[in-house]
Amino acid sequence: MLIRDLLVKNKVQELKDMAKIIGLTGYSKLKKDELIASIGSAILNEEYAKKVFFLANDREIELFEKKLNETVPFVEEEIGNYVYLYKSLFYFLYEENEFVIPEGLKEIYEAIQTSEYKEKRARFQLVYNYGTAMTNMYGIVPVEQVVKVFNEQNEVATNKEELVKAFELMKNVKGCIYDLVEGSFVHEAVLEEGGIHFLKNKEISLTIFQQKKCYSAMKMKHSLNVLNSMKH
């Protein structure tokens, strides 16, 4: 469907919210037709597409490519892997349980898939995923330790600057389930349960197994808190 047909059903304030989300400026006084035109031009733009897909994880990309090439229904179990591109306005909820992609986006997506772009994206995702995986595993991990493990397992080494830059870019755009605190990546479950000082003070005496058990308990309590908050 044409981008205009997908946007026209929205109210002016909804369009302004979309404009804000995708980073447009000077939209506050625009009329509805002007907002639609501005948003449409921004979405169907190669530079914008490059920025969005650069941060999309492999599963998000896989689902998007599948949607490009065939008619597939929205998969409720995969909701988390649709949200980012939906907020980026690359998906529109057209009918119940059906996402549609704006006409023209397929050509833009294919145009940006150069070898250089794919290589840079793959490198970014690899570096970022190491930080994510190790933080999920231990709850708190020094950035230097992530760098050490990465360099032991990959031919092209990384450094603290590249790792932190990848984290900050992802956090600022998509958000992360962990944060950078005093030189360490710390999972939100540890932060919310006040366990960072316990784990850091005990990290010399605690074995990795013991540290993981402490973190697992915090993570379980955090998950229960989230579930309880959703009930109210």
Side-chain angles (χ1 to χ4, degrees):
M1 292 186 66
L2 294 174
I3 184 65
R4 177 177 178 78
D5 295 334
L6 293 169
L7 291 170
V8 73
K9 65 180 181 178
N10 293 281
K11 298 178 180 179
V12 171
Q13 187 55 55
E14 292 172 331
L15 292 170
K16 288 182 178 181
D17 291 342
M18 292 178 186
K20 181 179 180 180
I21 289 173
I22 64 176
L24 293 184
T25 58
Y27 58 82
S28 60
K29 295 183 179 180
L30 295 181
K31 296 180 180 179
K32 185 170 184 175
D33 284 346
E34 295 171 325
L35 282 166
I36 291 173
S38 296
I39 294 171
S41 296
I43 295 171
L44 300 180
N45 176 282
E46 285 191 13
E47 291 305 311
Y48 177 68
K50 285 180 181 179
K51 292 177 182 178
V52 171
F53 288 114
F54 194 78
L55 300 184
N57 64 43
D58 290 345
R59 183 55 179 163
E60 289 169 336
I61 293 289
E62 181 183 352
L63 289 172
F64 180 81
E65 290 180 343
K66 188 174 183 180
K67 184 66 177 173
L68 279 179
N69 297 310
E70 58 183 285
T71 302
V72 291
F74 164 68
V75 182
E76 188 172 350
E77 292 76 12
E78 294 266 21
I79 182 68
N81 289 315
Y82 289 101
V83 171
Y84 171 58
L85 293 183
Y86 176 77
K87 287 184 175 179
S88 301
L89 304 185
F90 284 171
Y91 287 131
F92 283 83
L93 192 59
Y94 179 61
E95 293 180 354
E96 186 177 356
N97 294 331
E98 183 182 357
F99 276 139
V100 295
I101 295 172
E103 188 174 316
L105 186 55
K106 179 178 181 178
E107 290 74 17
I108 290 174
Y109 177 76
E110 292 173 346
I112 68 174
Q113 297 304 310
T114 63
S115 298
E116 180 182 7
Y117 177 78
K118 289 191 286 188
E119 184 176 318
K120 287 182 177 179
R121 179 189 166 276
R123 172 67 181 185
F124 170 83
Q125 294 288 334
L126 178 65
V127 171
Y128 172 74
N129 286 339
Y130 261 78
T132 301
M134 291 188 68
T135 306
N136 275 330
M137 184 176 294
Y138 298 113
I140 175 172
V141 58
V143 173
E144 290 84 355
Q145 184 65 24
V146 181
V147 171
K148 180 176 182 294
V149 172
F150 183 99
N151 292 343
E152 289 173 349
Q153 299 178 355
N154 294 273
E155 292 184 6
V156 181
T158 189
N159 53 46
K160 182 178 178 180
E161 289 71 29
E162 183 182 24
L163 183 60
V164 171
K165 184 178 180 180
F167 158 75
E168 290 178 341
L169 179 58
M170 188 68 80
K171 178 185 176 183
N172 291 336
V173 178
K174 292 184 72 176
C176 293
I177 59 172
Y178 59 97
D179 208 344
L180 180 61
V181 182
E182 299 178 16
S184 294
F185 290 136
V186 185
H187 194 280
E188 61 183 13
V190 177
L191 288 171
E192 292 185 14
E193 295 305 323
I196 180 172
H197 298 297
F198 171 77
L199 289 181
K200 290 193 72 172
N201 292 336
K202 298 289 185 178
E203 63 182 342
I204 296 178
S205 59
L206 282 177
T207 65
I208 290 178
F209 175 72
Q210 289 172 322
Q211 183 172 327
K212 286 178 69 176
K213 285 184 67 177
C214 293
Y215 164 57
S216 295
M218 293 174 189
K219 195 172 182 181
M220 177 65 74
K221 185 175 180 181
H222 168 72
S223 298
L224 290 173
N225 289 340
V226 171
L227 287 173
N228 288 332
S229 67
M230 293 174 65
K231 295 177 181 179
H232 300 291

